[in-house]
Structure formats: C-alpha cells, structure tokens
Amino acid sequence: MREYQAWCFDLDGTVYRGEEPIPATARFIRKLRKKGCGVFFVTNNSALTPEHQAEKLARMGITAAPEEVMTSSVATADHLVSNHGTLPVYMIGEEGLRMALETAGHRIVRQAPDAVVVGIDRAITYGKLADASLAVSGGAMFVATNSDKAYPTERGLVPGNGAFAGLIELATGVSPFYIGKPAVPMLEALAERHGLAKEEMVMVGDNYETDIMAGIRFGIGTVHVDTGVTRAADLINYREQPTYSLSTMDNWEDI
Ligand SMILES: [Mg+2]
C-alpha cells in the first residue's frame, strides 16, 4: 500500500456517525499524527465554521485544528477569490458561509451582487429565493456550496442545499457552479491552501458518489471505507473503482 502524506477525510460516515466517533478511523488518525502525516477534514457541510467543526471533533476525542478543516463554504470563498477576486455577494446560507465569505474579503450585499452564493439555510424564505433568482437572471454568477439534494437526520432525509440550488436553477434556467464533492474545487482549494501535491494526497470516504468521485476527478488516491452510505458490495456498480476499498481503516496495513 502506498505511503500518502496528506490524508483527506470525509466526516459523517467516515470519521463519525452523528455524535459518535468511528473507532477505527479515530485510531488511524492518531497513528497518522504520530507519523507526522498531514490530516485534513473535507466536508460538504456549509453551515458550520471550521472552528465549530474542530470543536465537534474535539468533543469526540479527535484532535483537529480549524486550519485542517476544509468546508464547502471556505472552499467557495477561496474559489471566488482565486478566480474572480473579492466580490459583492448575495448570500443564502448560515454562519459557516457568512464567516467564510467575510474572512476571505467578500462583501455581503442585498442589492446588485456580482455573485449569488447558495449554501444550506434552515431559515430560507421565499423572499431570499426570489432575490437570489432575480440577481442570477440579471447576470450575477451563480455558485452553490454543494449539490447534496438531501441529508440524513434522526428523522430521515431532509432537503439539502442541492434542492434549493435546483429550485433557483429551475426558476432561472441558469445552472449553478458547484464547489463541494463530487466537484473538485473543494479539493483544489485545500491543495492550494496547504501547498499539497496531488501525488501525496488521498481522499478517504464512505460515499462513492461524493467522496470517491471527487478524488477520482481531482486525480488523487481514494480509499472507500464500508462504514456509511455506499456498501462495499455495491462498488461493483461503478465503472471507476477507488484505489483501495477497506471495511474500516483498521485494515490499512502500512502505518
Ligand atoms: Mg460521508
């Protein structure tokens, strides 16, 4: 098995389930830290700031620095700066997105934005959707933090950001530019921030259609773990296979 220097972990279904850590992954991360490998956390969740996400990991006994957490919100803010500079932005989203945009130097405006950025907003209203649609129709760039149509809660699947971005797409006829997995800009932003080379990076995740696809498209190693959404037995349905498929990270032998 190859030695990778920069390990990028999905969170839910890979590092933890809800509020419970997945022990094999937690053990593996401790070994990586002892060895001095880079450990990063890559999440489509746009609502939490890296600080809050790091605190959540700490509560489960997993050490993480906020700088090691790449959220789809931080990646969105970085992507806009890298490709378009700092912009007046109309935002639909929560604290994680607001903080990321402002920290990167974007200005959040209500009128005449250059970009409309859509992340999960559990206080979304018709007014916000109308304002966003009008701005997109008027020529503003349309960027969505991630395309997840639904996400799991204790009650079952509830609408995700992809559902709201899809609503604006349907209303305007303009397709959003997606940042989070399975799109590559989030891994690009992570590599750029930390000066990582693709050869040293590996993406670890439970979901073939987000984590593994993002890794394959970006051109880095991938490890599927059978601890969440995509069962190992179902990998056969996909044409391109992950570099490695393990039941848990306890089965990685090199470390
Ligand atoms: Mg997952």
Side-chain angles (χ1 to χ4, degrees):
M1 287 178 153
R2 265 192 61 182
E3 288 218 6
Y4 294 103
Q5 288 306 312
W7 289 77
C8 311
F9 291 90
D10 165 58
L11 288 174
D12 222 339
T14 301
V15 173
Y16 53 68
R17 257 185 235 102
E19 296 288 327
E20 289 295 315
I22 295 175
T25 311
R27 274 193 290 277
F28 188 74
I29 289 171
R30 279 196 296 275
K31 284 191 211 165
L32 289 175
R33 296 227 183 260
K34 247 188 223 150
K35 251 194 115 188
C37 291
V39 174
F40 303 97
F41 303 94
V42 181
T43 176
N44 274 2
N45 184 336
S46 66
L48 291 182
T49 64
E51 286 74 15
H52 286 136
Q53 195 70 71
E55 282 164 20
K56 178 172 176 179
L57 285 161
R59 284 199 299 276
M60 290 184 252
I62 296 161
T63 320
E67 304 76 52
E68 293 170 334
V69 179
M70 176 54 75
T71 70
S72 61
S73 288
V74 171
T76 297
D78 277 13
H79 175 87
L80 287 175
V81 171
S82 298
N83 292 279
H84 311 283
T86 55
L87 300 173
V89 172
Y90 182 85
M91 180 198 93
I92 292 178
E94 297 184 13
E95 185 60 14
L97 186 55
R98 174 177 301 281
M99 279 289 293
L101 290 169
E102 288 179 347
T103 304
H106 302 293
R107 203 159 44 85
I108 293 167
V109 298
R110 303 205 50 173
Q111 307 256 312
D114 284 351
V116 169
V117 173
V118 179
I120 189 77
D121 182 345
R122 284 160 290 187
I124 199 159
T125 62
Y126 187 85
K128 290 184 192 179
L129 290 164
D131 286 346
S133 298
L134 288 164
V136 168
S137 294
M141 243 182 299
F142 180 19
V143 181
T145 56
N146 62 304
S147 59
D148 302 60
K149 291 186 177 62
Y151 67 94
T153 66
E154 310 79 61
R155 292 187 294 157
L157 288 176
V158 297
N161 189 49
F164 294 105
L167 187 152
I168 297 168
E169 178 175 16
L170 200 58
T172 61
V174 179
S175 300
F177 182 85
Y178 289 112
I179 300 292
K181 303 169 285 185
V184 299
M186 188 156 61
L187 287 171
E188 245 162 40
L190 180 73
E192 198 164 307
R193 271 199 176 214
H194 296 277
L196 307 175
K198 288 185 186 181
E199 308 79 69
E200 61 182 348
M201 295 172 74
V202 61
M203 178 73 218
V204 184
D206 66 296
N207 188 335
Y208 181 93
E209 291 182 8
T210 53
D211 309 318
I212 304 304
M213 269 177 69
I216 289 172
R217 286 178 179 172
F218 190 51
I220 63 175
T222 52
V223 179
H224 172 260
V225 282
D226 195 11
T227 51
V229 171
T230 308
R231 303 324 312 240
D234 295 326
L235 287 175
I236 194 166
N237 298 320
Y238 299 101
R239 198 170 56 80
E240 282 189 84
Q241 292 296 299
T243 319
Y244 302 96
S245 174
L246 307 173
S247 52
T248 75
M249 287 316 291
D250 278 343
N251 296 90
W252 183 274
E253 278 161 8
D254 261 0
I255 303 289

